Amino acid sequence: MESTDTPDRFPALLAATAMGVYLLLAVGATTTLTDAATACAAWPACGDGLSLPSSAMGYVALGHRLVALVVGVLAVATGVLAWRRGESTRIKAALGLSLLLYPVQAAIGAFVATNGTTATLSALHLVVGMTIFGGLVAALAWTLEATTGDPDDRPDRRPERDLPPAGDRRPEIPESTFARAKATANAYFRLMKPRLMWLLCLVAGAAMALAGGPGLNPITVAATLGGGALSIGASGTFNHVLERDIDRRMNRTNDRPLVTDLVPVRNAVAWGVFLSVVSLALFASVNLLAAALGLAAILFYSVVYTLVLKPNTVQNTVIGGAAGALPALIGWVAVTGEIGLGGLVLAGVIFLWTPAHFYNLALAYKDDYERGGFPMMPVVRGETVTRKHILWYLGATLVAAAALAAADTLGWLYVLTGVVFGGAFLWMVVRLHYEQSESAAFRAFHASNAYLGALLLAVVVDAMAV
């Protein structure tokens, strides 16, 4: 990947306008703004329509309208700049749709402020806002593709699976008893893929906090998070077992425990079975549906993703996102005993976030994945298409996160966290389009982790504070 120029003002203005719209969308989706609107039930200001508000909530509503005015000016400026630059028809069409819908959205907001809202009006307001945001994201994606993309970046073949092994990087196995025991214990721990545990357990924790109610107690939380951590460990262990031969051909994996013979395959299988049994026992102590979903998560990642999806389809990351989404359902079910709307929407956020997150890693390790024979997006479709898809899925993730605010009782902390960290994630993705380097891909990857981690923590705090 080679560097290109730095971003010009049009993509930067597009990104700023998109995040401004997202701020309005996310705030409008919360119950806080609904409460504020009742304190300022006039238009465009409060009282007789021209007066200042008399309460803090009234100032919240007025502030929302002022921000909408500023964002509207940004949107018009972006549209004018697009026409002056002679952007492509599809970019103009996407921007035109957003510009046409913006006054419609403002009119709906004015009607709600003066006449009150209904479930239908709230849903319409949310859908129109999502469409405006989607149009801006589409325009940004197509602009970046036209500006930074390589039209010849279209691989003409799938990766071969009979490539020679990667360079030998086997670590030295200690000879002393204590040092070897320490190395072996660390190897068993590495089999569990511990770096995945904190985030996926946070997903389950956020789902439990969202569900709330009498089912949320220390014993349930401990059993669910313990079972979740061990199920992740079991899935990781089986993944190591099933991919051990391919791991030898990839630089990033040829020092794994089964490759270096620190752990025999038979022992690794036994370790995975042990972790699975204990995990399912912990889930079953909560309820049987949680245990069934835990078993589904282990089987999906270990068998469906590892053996079927990952080596055979370019959509492996997209479909495989279901494995990361299942902890959201497990957490919700652990507290309520059933699958509910909040858990499903949170699972949708994780599912959509997964490609936006992992495609950055696939870009950074493109050559390594090709050596391993995996048909990852940059290997099969090229880097230009991959960067565009990162932006598509990031936009979809932000929309799903706004829908979560509408589906549950989340407030300002959640909104501000999503906007700030989502904006940082978006900017790292824009930079990735221009820099096209391994370091830029890693920055976007880490920004995706920071976004989801912060968002989930905000869910926990906001939900528990209600």
Side-chain angles (χ1 to χ4, degrees):
M1 294 184 285
E2 299 178 357
S3 298
T4 58
D5 297 333
T6 56
D8 62 28
R9 60 177 179 171
F10 182 62
L13 187 59
L14 255 178
T17 304
M19 287 312 298
V21 169
Y22 184 69
L23 171 62
L24 297 170
L25 173 64
V27 171
T30 65
T31 55
T32 304
L33 185 64
T34 304
D35 297 335
T38 61
C40 187
W43 191 269
C46 303
D48 59 0
L50 298 173
S51 303
L52 291 176
S54 58
S55 66
M57 278 298 184
Y59 276 101
V60 169
L62 183 60
H64 184 263
R65 296 168 196 176
L66 291 174
V67 172
L69 176 62
V70 173
V71 173
V73 172
L74 276 177
V76 171
T78 303
V80 170
L81 187 57
W83 261 262
R84 289 183 61 186
R85 285 166 53 102
E87 296 293 341
S88 67
T89 301
R90 64 179 181 176
I91 293 174
K92 290 179 182 178
L95 274 174
L97 176 64
S98 295
L99 288 172
L100 285 173
L101 288 178
Y102 201 88
V104 175
Q105 181 78 334
I108 296 173
F111 183 85
V112 168
T114 55
N115 296 278
T117 188
T118 64
T120 301
L121 270 179
S122 295
L124 179 63
H125 202 210
L126 185 63
V127 170
V128 173
M130 288 177 173
T131 305
I132 294 170
F133 177 69
L136 292 169
V137 171
L140 179 59
W142 288 327
T143 298
L144 291 173
E145 181 183 28
T147 305
T148 68
D150 179 4
D152 297 323
D153 178 25
R154 296 188 178 277
D156 57 1
R157 64 183 180 87
R158 290 173 62 90
E160 298 291 339
R161 300 208 59 189
D162 57 350
L163 294 176
D168 190 1
R169 286 169 42 195
R170 293 192 179 193
E172 293 185 7
I173 300 177
E175 295 183 1
S176 69
T177 303
F178 176 77
R180 185 179 179 89
K182 182 179 178 181
T184 301
N186 182 61
Y188 276 97
F189 184 64
R190 286 186 61 200
L191 286 175
M192 298 169 67
K193 297 195 174 183
R195 285 183 293 182
L196 297 177
M197 287 182 181
W198 74 271
L199 194 57
L200 292 177
C201 284
L202 190 54
V203 171
M208 286 189 283
L210 277 175
L216 184 62
N217 58 71
I219 295 177
T220 296
V221 171
T224 303
L225 295 183
L230 294 180
S231 69
I232 295 164
S235 301
T237 299
F238 291 134
N239 175 265
H240 277 273
V241 171
L242 295 170
E243 291 188 345
R244 63 188 185 279
D245 293 330
I246 297 174
D247 284 343
R248 298 180 190 275
R249 297 204 289 267
M250 298 178 64
N251 288 324
R252 64 182 289 261
T253 58
N254 65 3
D255 64 344
R256 286 181 170 177
L258 293 179
V259 175
T260 58
D261 298 325
L262 268 173
V263 178
V265 174
R266 181 181 61 184
N267 291 12
V269 172
W271 178 238
V273 171
F274 171 75
L275 293 174
S276 299
V277 170
V278 177
S279 167
L280 295 178
L282 286 170
F283 283 142
S285 72
V286 177
N287 61 60
L288 292 180
L289 182 54
L293 289 172
L295 177 60
I298 294 172
L299 292 175
F300 186 88
Y301 186 80
S302 303
V303 179
V304 178
Y305 175 72
T306 301
L307 293 181
V308 180
L309 297 175
K310 189 175 180 181
N312 294 305
T313 174
V314 70
Q315 297 299 328
N316 48 24
T317 300
V318 176
I319 304 171
L326 279 169
L329 299 182
I330 292 171
W332 186 279
V333 164
V335 172
T336 66
E338 61 185 12
I339 295 175
L341 178 62
L344 287 170
V345 178
L346 180 58
V349 173
I350 308 304
F351 181 82
L352 294 169
W353 168 85
T354 301
H357 161 75
F358 187 79
Y359 282 160
N360 296 291
L361 198 64
L363 282 169
Y365 290 120
K366 175 187 172 184
D367 293 340
D368 217 14
Y369 279 116
E370 185 171 10
R371 181 183 294 113
F374 293 116
M376 297 300 180
M377 179 69 73
V379 175
V380 176
R381 300 282 176 81
E383 297 180 18
T384 298
V385 170
T386 303
R387 289 191 295 269
K388 181 175 66 175
H389 280 235
I390 291 172
L391 192 50
W392 285 129
Y393 280 104
L394 171 54
T397 301
L398 293 175
V399 168
L404 180 62
D408 220 291
T409 52
L410 297 172
W412 285 104
L413 177 63
Y414 176 80
V415 169
L416 293 178
T417 300
V419 171
V420 171
F421 283 87
F425 187 6
L426 176 63
W427 184 244
M428 289 299 103
V429 173
V430 172
R431 294 293 310 178
L432 172 64
H433 277 75
Y434 282 89
E435 296 181 22
Q436 301 180 18
S437 64
E438 182 179 302
S439 60
F442 276 120
R443 285 198 299 272
F445 174 79
H446 293 310
S448 70
N449 271 332
Y451 165 75
L452 188 63
L455 192 76
L456 293 172
L457 285 173
V459 168
V460 173
V461 174
D462 254 356
M464 298 298 288
V466 174

